[in-house]
Amino acid sequence: MLHPVIVWFLPFRWGTNTYRGCEYNCVYCNARYTHEYLGLGTKEFSHKIIVKDNAAEALDKECSRPNWNKLKTVNLSTVTDPYQPAESEFKITRSVLEVFLKHHNALLLTTKSDLVLRDLDLVTEIGKTGFLNVVITLPTVDEGLRHKIEPNAPSVERRLKTIQQLHQAGIKTGVTAIPLLPLISDDAASVESLVKAVSEAGADYMIVDLLNFRGETRNRFMGFINANYPELRTEYERLYKADYCDKDYSKQVRKQVNALIKKAKLDNYELMFSYRKSVR
Ligand code: SF4
């Protein structure tokens, strides 16, 4: 149920997923390859969803091991959204939250969905008894663009309201504005609007990163560019000679965006690492 994540700069050491595949079908998704491990094709990632109906039981066993260290944060989820539409019916994520509450385990809950508010009772209790961050992914506040790149995901408005309600409930709430899209959503005006909206909604911190072309993202995203922004094709080919965006371009964008984040006091990144103090 749990898999180790050995990346020193990430604020979690374990990852888990309550579903495999993700109905949101984001054009920039680079998790599609995970369906191949199940003998399925990457094209089936958004409509053949595997429901882990024994997830709570399996997690309980793992968290009950004598050598299990509950101070090492688990990220739910790493390659799918735990509150995608299937969760309304199957409630697997809710059952897994009950296990996290039982064990007082450090938890990072990552989603694009306002369905997390259904579980505010559990989320609030976990927040009281152990370390918890809820992280909402919101790469743009332009609803037209959001609809193009994340066709089945909740709207900008629903996500901002979710941040607001989590904040009002006293939950530590972060935002990952990932991915920013070069020459589409990373200009100063777009990023300023995004930072302003996230700040007004009450988020504690905001993290940004630019689009990457890992896995089959290059093919899918270039198809999207050809269909929607053909004038950017040559520039994208220049910026993405490798899987990651051109270093100088990235550095420049990060510098500008991080200055805005700092000015808005959305740089409280220590909250993501504060489990050592907050877990009893
Ligand atoms: S929500 Fe995440 S996992 Fe789901 S399609 Fe979008 S990027 Fe992929």
Side-chain angles (χ1 to χ4, degrees):
M1 183 64 196
L2 295 165
H3 60 88
V5 181
I6 318 289
V7 183
W8 67 269
F9 57 82
L10 291 178
F12 51 88
R13 289 294 169 263
W14 295 93
T16 190
N17 294 278
T18 40
Y19 299 90
R20 299 302 291 269
C22 184
E23 296 164 83
Y24 288 156
N25 199 20
C26 307
V27 69
Y28 54 75
C29 181
N30 53 33
R32 291 170 203 279
Y33 72 93
T34 57
H35 247 36
E36 289 174 345
Y37 300 152
L38 307 169
L40 297 167
T42 55
K43 288 198 174 97
E44 294 169 303
F45 183 80
S46 60
H47 61 275
K48 280 205 177 160
I49 308 301
I50 311 300
V51 179
K52 293 192 179 177
D53 53 8
N54 67 341
E57 195 187 332
L59 180 68
D60 192 30
K61 266 190 200 155
E62 294 197 45
C63 292
S64 301
R65 291 196 319 246
N67 60 348
W68 175 248
N69 183 351
K70 69 182 184 180
L71 301 182
K72 290 196 173 169
T73 305
V74 177
N75 183 17
L76 171 66
S77 291
T78 43
V79 292
T80 63
D81 195 305
Y83 285 104
Q84 60 179 295
E87 172 62 13
S88 299
E89 181 181 347
F90 296 103
K91 301 187 176 65
I92 308 295
T93 298
R94 184 169 174 88
S95 66
V96 159
L97 287 186
E98 281 164 354
V99 177
F100 280 117
L101 177 60
K102 174 182 164 187
H103 291 277
H104 294 181
N105 206 98
L107 175 66
L108 208 63
L109 190 50
T110 313
T111 183
K112 288 184 165 91
S113 176
D114 51 348
L115 188 56
V116 64
L117 296 173
R118 179 202 64 189
D119 295 341
L120 201 50
D121 56 337
L122 285 174
V123 169
T124 306
E125 282 308 306
I126 297 170
K128 279 185 202 160
T129 62
F131 167 81
L132 169 84
N133 272 210
V134 178
V135 181
I136 303 293
T137 305
L138 181 66
T140 178
V141 284
D142 176 339
E143 178 59 14
L145 176 61
R146 196 285 308 158
H147 188 258
K148 278 188 206 163
I149 60 176
E150 303 167 340
N152 303 330
S155 68
V156 170
E157 191 185 352
R158 279 167 62 188
R159 280 185 242 181
L160 287 172
K161 280 193 178 148
T162 304
I163 297 164
Q164 203 174 20
Q165 288 186 45
L166 289 166
H167 169 69
Q168 284 165 357
I171 309 293
K172 277 181 274 183
T173 307
V175 169
T176 46
I178 300 175
L180 292 181
L181 308 178
L183 310 166
I184 297 173
S185 63
D186 67 343
D187 60 285
S190 300
V191 176
E192 270 173 33
S193 307
L194 178 58
V195 170
K196 185 169 181 283
V198 166
S199 172
E200 286 174 359
D204 293 297
Y205 57 86
M206 177 172 165
I207 300 164
V208 294
D209 204 359
L210 281 161
L211 173 73
N212 71 63
F213 271 0
R214 282 184 293 144
E216 67 164 43
T217 305
R218 174 181 294 275
N219 283 344
R220 285 180 62 92
F221 203 83
M222 286 310 289
F224 171 81
I225 289 290
N226 288 338
N228 295 277
Y229 302 92
E231 70 283 6
L232 296 182
R233 184 192 168 93
T234 310
E235 196 56 4
Y236 261 75
E237 282 168 350
R238 185 187 73 77
L239 290 174
Y240 286 94
K241 290 200 176 102
D243 285 351
Y244 291 89
C245 189
D246 176 79
K247 270 191 187 153
D248 291 339
Y249 184 93
S250 303
K251 202 172 158 189
Q252 186 63 20
V253 172
R254 282 211 185 89
K255 194 175 161 195
Q256 285 169 354
V257 177
N258 285 334
L260 289 170
I261 286 176
K262 196 168 179 193
K263 196 172 161 202
K265 297 189 171 52
L266 285 170
D267 57 344
N268 303 305
Y269 302 124
E270 74 286 354
L271 292 176
M272 288 187 289
F273 296 91
S274 60
Y275 57 90
R276 290 183 188 87
K277 292 179 213 152
S278 61
V279 176
R280 301 194 294 211

